[in-house]
Amino acid sequence: AGRFALMQGLAYLRGHHVDGHRVVIVGRDADAMRLAGSLLRESPWNLNLVGHLTVDDQLACAEAPEPLGHVEDLAALLDRMPIDEVVFASSRLEPNRFATALEACDLRGVDILLPLPPAVPSHGKVELAQLDGVRYPLLGLRRTPTGELRVVAKRVMDLAVGATMLLFAAPIMVVTAIAIRLESKGPILFRQARVGKHGRQFVMYKFRSMVVDAEARKEQLMHLNEMSGPVFKIARDPRITSVGAFIRKSSIDELPQLFNIVLGTMSLVGPRPPVPSEVEQYEPWQRRRLSVKPGLTGLWQVSGRSTLTNFDDWLKLDLRYIDDWSLWLDLKIILQTVPAVLRRAGAS
């Protein structure tokens, strides 16, 4: 009875989620259309069928919609728009093209649902699924954390801890807002577009710690960048104000992200959300860090924070977190973050 109530509650919440679970289907023949219909009827998710990709030498069903492109366009499609899952409904794919399409999903951390093939990549978590109206079993290959109860528990923890922290941090946030306003003109909060799960963009909030024209002056300072890869970071950034230096060192500037956590665009623990210009420079394997919701803290914060100057080392910590995720790991990272912030270890 408890599991039934939980699933009904999840179905209700998913049904009211605006963006939904975005799915692309490879194939446009009768089997592909039958599979699409089953997904739309049976899935408890608020399924958003983005469209179909066509396959060579495949007769399209009369009711099949116009294709998004060819299966060889899959990698570019995943980079261009948020996609949560790719369903391989066609058995006519040549082995080389099939392997390339699977790799495009696997590298980016996008879920896969496919007919049981002769050979399956060994990465990720494999699970069988059976849908009414489909003749063959489907094999799910997932590189992201799964488990209904665990995922719901993570969200409950985000809400409970995030709301409690907001309550206790309110006096500090009020004092910080006054100090920022007294020191310099301009907005108290810094709003910036960041990239979340599978490329979804959202507005992230921080206390403004730099001068108002900081973004305009960034190009002049690019030669001082101390991070490898697409990330920009320098230890003694001349754009930082006096108040900004203190709130960055003490991590007070991050407190407004508690609103992002309560709203659901971020989690307490996860990879830090990158800016869109960084994501545009990602290699395919680096995009897998976008396969989970971004977080306020993570493994890199408790493993040296901003003293990590190699972008690949940073990415490897994020991918290790994704592969090893558990509620216990989240709790350990949260507990390790507190002394790291108090010691101001690696903050800049």
Side-chain angles (χ1 to χ4, degrees):
R3 289 178 60 85
F4 176 78
L6 175 64
M7 292 304 296
Q8 291 301 309
L10 287 173
Y12 175 83
L13 291 175
R14 289 167 174 169
H16 289 74
H17 193 284
V18 176
D19 200 23
H21 191 69
R22 298 169 62 89
V23 175
V24 166
I25 294 182
V26 176
R28 298 175 64 231
D29 60 2
D31 287 341
M33 296 308 299
R34 187 160 46 247
L35 176 57
S38 294
L39 285 172
L40 291 172
R41 284 194 312 271
E42 305 295 336
S43 176
W45 296 87
N46 177 25
L47 200 68
N48 184 350
L49 182 54
V50 178
H52 294 248
L53 292 175
T54 189
V55 177
D56 281 344
D57 302 323
Q58 184 184 77
L59 292 175
C61 188
E63 62 265 29
E66 285 296 314
L68 297 171
H70 192 270
V71 66
E72 292 179 346
D73 302 321
L74 179 59
L77 181 70
L78 297 179
D79 289 341
R80 192 171 69 247
M81 64 172 63
I83 300 295
D84 298 299
E85 191 166 18
V86 175
V87 179
F88 289 83
S90 174
S91 58
R92 297 174 180 269
L93 266 175
E94 297 174 4
N96 289 341
R97 289 181 176 177
F98 186 53
T100 300
L102 286 179
E103 184 181 31
C105 299
D106 187 46
L107 285 173
R108 292 159 176 81
V110 176
D111 290 348
I112 300 170
L113 197 64
L114 64 154
L116 189 61
V120 178
S122 58
H123 307 295
K125 301 175 180 64
V126 177
E127 59 185 30
L128 285 173
Q130 185 69 52
L131 297 173
D132 291 340
V134 181
R135 297 194 306 269
Y136 39 78
L138 301 173
L139 193 69
L141 177 62
R142 304 186 184 278
R143 299 298 305 269
T144 53
T146 57
E148 299 289 355
L149 289 175
R150 294 192 303 159
V151 172
V152 171
K154 180 177 174 69
R155 179 59 183 148
V156 170
M157 184 170 68
D158 285 344
L159 282 172
V161 177
T164 303
M165 289 177 65
L166 262 179
L167 182 65
F168 283 99
I172 299 174
M173 295 173 73
V174 170
V175 172
T176 303
I178 294 172
I180 292 172
R181 178 51 56 87
L182 290 176
E183 182 184 31
S184 62
K185 294 181 179 180
I188 293 171
L189 290 178
F190 175 66
R191 298 172 175 85
Q192 188 178 43
R194 293 295 180 106
V195 179
K197 186 176 180 179
H198 289 314
R200 292 174 172 83
Q201 290 196 19
F202 67 97
V203 177
M204 191 188 77
Y205 304 102
K206 295 178 70 173
F207 279 123
R208 182 172 61 85
S209 59
M210 293 186 175
V211 294
V212 177
D213 62 342
E215 286 299 310
R217 294 170 56 180
K218 181 178 177 179
E219 285 297 326
Q220 304 170 11
L221 302 171
M222 287 300 294
H223 65 286
L224 301 175
N225 188 16
E226 298 172 0
M227 285 287 291
S228 64
V231 178
F232 177 79
K233 188 180 287 290
I234 54 179
R236 293 178 176 82
D237 197 321
R239 302 171 299 167
I240 299 176
T241 63
S242 299
V243 172
F246 173 77
I247 63 176
R248 286 167 71 98
K249 195 71 176 175
S250 58
S251 297
I252 291 175
D253 65 321
E254 309 281 359
L255 289 179
Q257 287 164 51
L258 293 172
F259 290 107
N260 287 112
I261 293 171
V262 172
L263 291 172
T265 53
M266 289 179 60
S267 180
L268 283 168
V269 184
R272 289 296 293 162
V275 297
S277 59
E278 293 174 10
V279 175
E280 290 173 359
Q281 303 176 58
Y282 279 5
E283 298 176 20
W285 73 272
Q286 294 171 334
R287 290 186 63 90
R288 192 159 73 86
R289 76 186 297 259
L290 303 176
S291 61
V292 297
K293 193 179 292 187
L296 178 64
T297 186
L299 271 181
W300 78 273
Q301 283 93 334
V302 298
S303 304
R305 301 180 79 190
S306 61
T307 57
L308 291 174
T309 58
N310 188 296
F311 183 64
D312 284 354
D313 290 341
W314 185 352
L315 260 292
K316 288 173 183 175
L317 285 175
D318 286 339
L319 298 184
R320 194 176 91 191
Y321 167 78
I322 294 171
D323 291 335
D324 298 340
W325 176 79
S326 68
L327 292 173
W328 175 238
L329 178 59
D330 274 6
L331 184 58
K332 286 198 296 185
I333 291 174
I334 291 171
L335 294 177
Q336 291 172 7
T337 299
V338 175
V341 170
L342 293 177
R343 292 194 312 268
R344 302 180 181 182
S348 62

